[in-house]
Amino acid sequence: MIEQRHKLIHAFGALSELGQEVANKNNFQETIRTSLHLISGALGIMRGGVARYSRFGHELNMLAVRGLGDDFPLSLSLCMEDERQFLTNGLNPIETSQAKVLPFFQVYDESFTRKRIELLLPLIVRDEIVGAVFLGEKATDEPYSSYEKEIICAMGRHIGVAIAQRNLMAEIERHSEENRKLVDDMRTTYNDTVKAFATAIDCKDKYTEGHSVRVGKYSEIIATELEWGTPEIEGAAVAGYLHDVGKLTVERKIINAPYRINAKESAELNKHPGVGYDILMPIHHPYANVPLAAKYHHERLDGRGYPDGLYDREIPYIAKIVNLADSFDAMTTDRPYKARRPAADVVEDLQRNAGKQFAPELVTAFLRGMLKELTGDTKEKRFRRLLGREYMEAEGIVPAIRRTLNEMAPTSTLTYINADAGTEDRPLL
């Protein structure tokens, strides 16, 4: 009686430790090894193992073994009949000597006999097989009592939960990874579609081919120099790519006119921001304010822009970025009625119109990015790819940019955002 009581205390002590081990999610393999050690130690079992069931491979894969030697199979296959019988048996120990009618015990009879495996406990959680516990003979060489089998079932339930929990976590991680890839694919598809639209827009204007794509890339550079986050940078690029979508409705002869268009034609062309807004507004964009960039990219800080003559803070910030990118591209590309301007002249123009047409902090960020590339502070060739090496390395451009950056006011009289704190206003969020 005293010995029985001692065993009972020992067994429940092991069960308590096992519960704590299962609750500790830090190391699954260590949990399983400790669990096997606790069962063996509590009941004086000489050898055994714990396996996890793979429902894809229909096999039991050993996670931990004790005293089974290297010749015990690490993977044990189950047929459909084995699985059915295990589920019918539930979480109850099966005596191997009494179960040889099943294919599983016939196939592995030699291994079980050689290692003296006496009990197999299928681990069933929520009507699913998650694993099995193999137990050899006891140190006393006595048969397992019903009491000991109940202890084994109780411990097996804990181990089964640990394995099921691990399987669930793996499944969640797999779904999470699949979702991440799906989102990445959708983002790539969206961005590719936007670029295709930009190319389609540019195809209508034979003199400014590639304009929308370049404005998208310049907008991306500005947002990058403002140290915005990745989603906001992508949003700025998309706003640049699509800013002229309204031109799709403008007559081709006006867009391609090899002369300065007259007032009537100009009025027609100036409708494109509003038309672009109407086209983009019904579309659900992953980035906010893309339609507003199309509508207000011709507004100026001094109120002399169009279509609404907005002043500084009234203009959406993303529209200010696209405005600078759009104007810079217009000045640095050949038009039918005007050749591209020298780089130093463009820098001077940006400085002269900072605070009037352009937000000063955006000009600063843009020129700072250009200077970093020219002085080798960055290995990126963002401007060289868009403007050409010869244009970028024109004599005098580096001093002109440095001088401009030294003389630039950080903000306009109305704009409170400066170049060093550009992330305070995140209009794309």
Side-chain angles (χ1 to χ4, degrees):
M1 184 67 183
I2 294 176
E3 184 182 357
Q4 185 73 5
R5 183 184 301 171
H6 178 73
K7 283 185 176 178
L8 186 64
I9 294 172
H10 195 183
F12 273 95
L15 189 60
S16 174
E17 290 183 41
L18 184 56
Q20 293 179 16
E21 190 66 32
V22 171
N24 181 5
K25 304 171 186 175
N26 293 333
N27 191 324
F28 173 70
Q29 288 290 342
E30 186 60 32
T31 295
I32 298 301
R33 279 194 293 271
T34 303
S35 301
L36 178 61
H37 175 77
L38 289 171
I39 293 178
S40 302
L43 302 178
I45 301 172
M46 298 297 291
R47 68 195 89 246
V50 177
R52 178 163 62 180
Y53 179 63
S54 168
R55 58 192 173 96
F56 300 106
H58 297 281
E59 60 187 15
L60 290 165
N61 300 310
M62 301 303 291
L63 295 172
V65 295
R66 183 184 185 192
L68 293 180
D70 296 335
D71 56 341
F72 192 82
L74 295 178
S75 294
L76 301 89
S77 299
L78 272 70
C79 67
M80 296 294 289
E81 179 60 16
D82 295 325
E83 294 176 4
R84 192 180 68 80
Q85 287 295 333
F86 280 8
L87 287 173
T88 301
N89 180 81
L91 189 70
N92 296 295
I94 299 173
E95 294 187 20
T96 57
S97 60
Q98 305 298 317
K100 293 185 179 179
V101 65
L102 286 179
F104 177 76
F105 293 98
Q106 294 173 10
V107 170
Y108 298 104
D109 179 60
E110 183 180 342
S111 296
F112 292 169
T113 300
R114 187 170 61 250
K115 299 299 178 182
R116 298 189 62 183
I117 298 297
E118 296 187 3
L119 289 181
L120 184 147
L121 176 67
L123 301 176
I124 311 296
V125 177
R126 294 182 179 177
D127 297 327
E128 287 190 11
I129 304 172
V130 298
V133 177
F134 299 83
L135 296 175
E137 81 282 15
K138 293 165 54 181
T140 60
D141 216 19
E142 296 175 346
Y144 286 91
S145 66
S146 58
Y147 153 74
E148 289 169 331
K149 290 179 181 177
E150 289 180 12
I151 295 295
I152 291 170
C153 285
M155 292 185 167
R157 191 170 293 111
H158 281 274
I159 299 173
V161 168
I163 295 176
Q165 185 182 54
R166 177 69 175 184
N167 291 344
L168 181 61
M169 290 300 297
E171 188 75 3
I172 291 173
E173 289 172 2
R174 187 176 65 80
H175 282 299
S176 176
E177 179 65 15
E178 287 178 354
N179 285 339
R180 188 189 63 76
K181 290 180 179 177
L182 184 61
V183 170
D184 287 345
D185 289 345
M186 290 175 65
R187 175 179 288 176
T188 300
T189 301
Y190 175 81
N191 289 335
D192 288 347
T193 303
V194 167
K195 291 176 184 176
F197 263 104
T199 302
I201 297 166
D202 291 341
C203 282
K204 197 164 185 181
D205 188 346
K206 66 180 182 180
Y207 295 114
T208 59
E209 185 177 0
H211 168 70
S212 297
V213 173
R214 289 192 297 273
V215 171
K217 294 186 181 299
Y218 289 135
S219 299
E220 181 179 342
I221 291 173
I222 296 169
T224 302
E225 291 301 319
L226 291 174
E227 299 182 353
W228 284 7
T230 301
E232 290 81 9
I233 292 173
E234 290 181 358
V238 170
Y241 287 132
L242 297 179
H243 77 288
D244 266 349
V245 68
K247 284 186 176 177
L248 289 173
T249 64
V250 179
E251 288 186 57
R252 191 180 290 269
K253 67 179 184 180
I254 296 177
I255 294 177
N256 292 311
Y259 51 84
R260 283 194 178 277
I261 57 178
N262 59 37
K264 183 180 179 182
E265 292 170 328
S266 180
E268 184 66 25
L269 180 62
N270 290 353
K271 293 178 181 176
H272 79 271
V275 174
Y277 176 80
D278 292 339
I279 292 172
L280 295 173
M281 196 56 196
I283 301 172
H284 178 71
H285 300 276
Y287 316 109
N289 290 350
V290 169
L292 293 179
K295 185 172 184 178
Y296 295 119
H297 70 276
H298 281 298
E299 297 288 359
R300 296 168 52 103
L301 270 63
D302 57 10
R304 296 173 60 194
Y306 67 94
D308 294 337
L310 301 180
Y311 285 90
D312 203 350
R313 292 296 304 278
E314 299 173 335
I315 305 169
Y317 205 66
I318 187 63
K320 295 178 182 176
I321 292 176
V322 175
N323 170 269
L324 174 59
D326 186 37
S327 299
F328 181 80
D329 186 65
M331 289 187 280
T332 55
T333 52
D334 289 324
R335 303 293 170 105
Y337 49 83
K338 182 189 291 184
R340 72 191 311 194
R341 296 168 59 179
D345 284 1
V346 173
V347 173
E348 183 183 338
D349 189 288
L350 294 180
Q351 180 184 13
R352 185 170 57 253
N353 285 293
K356 301 176 184 175
Q357 180 177 355
F358 312 119
E361 74 277 9
L362 298 185
V363 174
T364 299
F366 193 56
L367 293 180
R368 189 172 54 204
M370 185 182 290
L371 184 63
K372 283 194 298 186
E373 189 172 317
L374 286 167
T375 55
D377 288 347
T378 176
K379 293 182 179 179
E380 293 181 299
K381 298 180 180 178
R382 300 173 298 181
F383 286 96
R384 280 184 174 85
R385 290 196 181 97
L386 295 167
L387 295 165
R389 180 177 177 180
E390 184 178 345
Y391 186 86
M392 273 290 287
E393 297 178 358
E395 186 178 357
I397 186 172
V398 170
I401 293 175
R402 283 186 170 142
R403 184 174 58 255
T404 299
L405 289 175
N406 288 332
E407 295 173 355
M408 282 282 295
T411 63
S412 71
T413 54
L414 295 175
T415 305
Y416 70 90
I417 305 163
N418 61 44
D420 296 328
T423 56
E424 289 181 12
D425 189 355
R426 298 288 185 82
L428 289 170
L429 288 176

